[in-house]
Amino acid sequence: MGQAIAVAPKSLRAVDAGVTAGFSGIGLASQNRDLTGHGSRIDLLYGYRLSRGGEVMSSRSFRHVPISRRGVLKKSALATAALALAGTPLRVRAAGLLKPVSMTLDWLYEGSNVGFVVAHEKGFYREAGLDVTVTAGKGSASTAQLVASKATQIGFSDGFVAANGLAKGMAIKTIGSIFRRGPAAIIALADSSIKTPKDLEGKTVAITAGSAVFLQWPAFVKGAGIDATKIQIVNIDPAGLAPALINGKVDAIGGYVASYVPSIEIRGRKEAQILWFADNGVTVVGNGMIVHQDLLKSDPDLLRAFVPASIKGFLYGRQYPDEAVAAVQKYDPTADPAIIKSEFELSWKTWVSPHTKGKPLGWEAKADWESTIQVLKQYGGVTAPLETSQLYTNEFVPTDAEYVPPQEG
């Protein structure tokens, strides 16, 4: 149940209109990143399927219907008829007792955000009394906007982006972080001369202007102790970053590791060299679950049910990666299983920050958020006063030892 359905192509304008109208689960995008850290996938001329990270635009000619057992039942005449029968299975008849919840991902159904799909497929949400509709997203900024406008109840969005949104007046808050270590990096080819940040001097690096990675670049330069005047930065559209690297047009690119490395290495058959921002003094919070502040007050019980079930989905998927891959493929049949698995595995490297070691997945450290605010104010143009208490809460994160993830990526 709940399998995504491929439908006829839409124009890019129609897709964007879908977002404005409440966002019904989009599988293609038309915009560049705007401080999202997320973006789109595209099947390039070279056949590479690049994933989110804000970095690419999708050329897919279909979209995905949200994952929702309730939605499918409503649309299925067969299910409707079955509900009228005395012998209707208990799990179907009980659906009316479940609390409906709308949830929007940061991007498409893929390896890095697979925990929500796993929680849905394994029945963790249902066991928690929830009927969750998991919808594909169109970037962290878009998801944050949807939550701020109450078009969706819960979102999965980059913490750097969510904090920026809050500074601009969005009444949103992070209630549990999954990527607690920054996912950004400079990516080069392993057979190049770039082995350390210092090796970037005298080289050309492509980064999409306006992206979260672009805004964090000065912090990386400072943390790595390199001379930015000796590095040529070029602005390349997200869709062109990986081809530019693979074809030798640039020496390195800036992006989210789980977004680019899987396709570069698996489809492009090029080994990647990764220079993590987080290893060079850039401490920012990555993706987490966000909600409107009104929901915190009106229905905290919903969040007490949703957060642990979601975290359980990520941890289960890590323990049984083949099931996680199969869950994504159910809703995106075109997805390459090797790439899905690589995306998921690379995302594990962002699950634990130095300040969150030994803590349950989802638990957030004040120090990490303080650093995020500092980077936003110093390099992101944020002037509004921000306090960590405005940005996050650990109130809904489970404390049991079973929720503590492996400490190594």
Side-chain angles (χ1 to χ4, degrees), residues 11 33 56 97 105 145-146 150 153 198 223 247 270 308 342:
S11 68
R33 284 192 342 189
V56 288
L97 302 178
L105 299 173
Q145 291 167 359
L146 290 172
K150 300 184 180 180
Q153 290 172 292
K198 189 69 174 177
N247 293 329
K270 299 281 189 178
S342 181

Side-chain angles (χ1 to χ4, degrees), residues 20 61-62 80 145 155 209 227 276 286:
T20 304
S61 59
F62 66 92
T80 302
Q145 291 167 359
D227 188 347
W276 291 89

Side-chain angles (χ1 to χ4, degrees), residues 267-351:
R267 292 288 178 84
R269 298 182 180 180
K270 299 281 189 178
E271 185 179 354
Q273 175 72 37
I274 304 170
L275 304 176
W276 291 89
F277 280 23
D279 289 338
N280 292 277
V282 185
T283 301
V284 295
V285 179
N287 283 45
M289 293 165 272
I290 64 171
V291 297
H292 195 284
Q293 292 173 11
D294 287 349
L295 186 60
L296 287 168
K297 302 173 184 177
S298 66
D299 201 346
D301 288 340
L302 183 158
L303 305 180
R304 290 190 184 96
F306 181 87
V307 174
S310 299
I311 294 172
K312 186 177 178 180
F314 279 94
L315 294 172
Y316 183 93
R318 181 161 181 169
Q319 187 175 2
Y320 302 101
D322 289 341
E323 290 188 41
V325 170
V328 174
Q329 284 189 293
K330 180 174 181 181
Y331 300 101
D332 185 355
T334 67
D336 184 323
I339 290 180
I340 297 171
K341 187 175 182 180
S342 181
E343 290 170 345
F344 193 29
E345 290 175 346
L346 283 168
S347 76
W348 300 345
K349 296 181 182 295
T350 69
W351 280 17

Side-chain angles (χ1 to χ4, degrees), residues 3-4 6 27 41-43 47-52 58 60 62 64 107-114 117 262-263 266-267 322-344:
Q3 184 168 352
R41 293 175 175 155
I42 186 170
D43 292 323
Y48 308 140
R49 172 179 169 272
L50 297 183
S51 62
R52 75 153 174 84
S58 171
R60 295 186 180 209
F62 66 92
H64 291 297
W107 190 234
L108 305 180
Y109 310 120
E110 59 188 10
S112 56
N113 59 29
V114 70
V117 177
S263 291
I266 296 172
R267 292 288 178 84
D322 289 341
E323 290 188 41
V325 170
V328 174
Q329 284 189 293
K330 180 174 181 181
Y331 300 101
D332 185 355
T334 67
D336 184 323
I339 290 180
I340 297 171
K341 187 175 182 180
S342 181
E343 290 170 345
F344 193 29

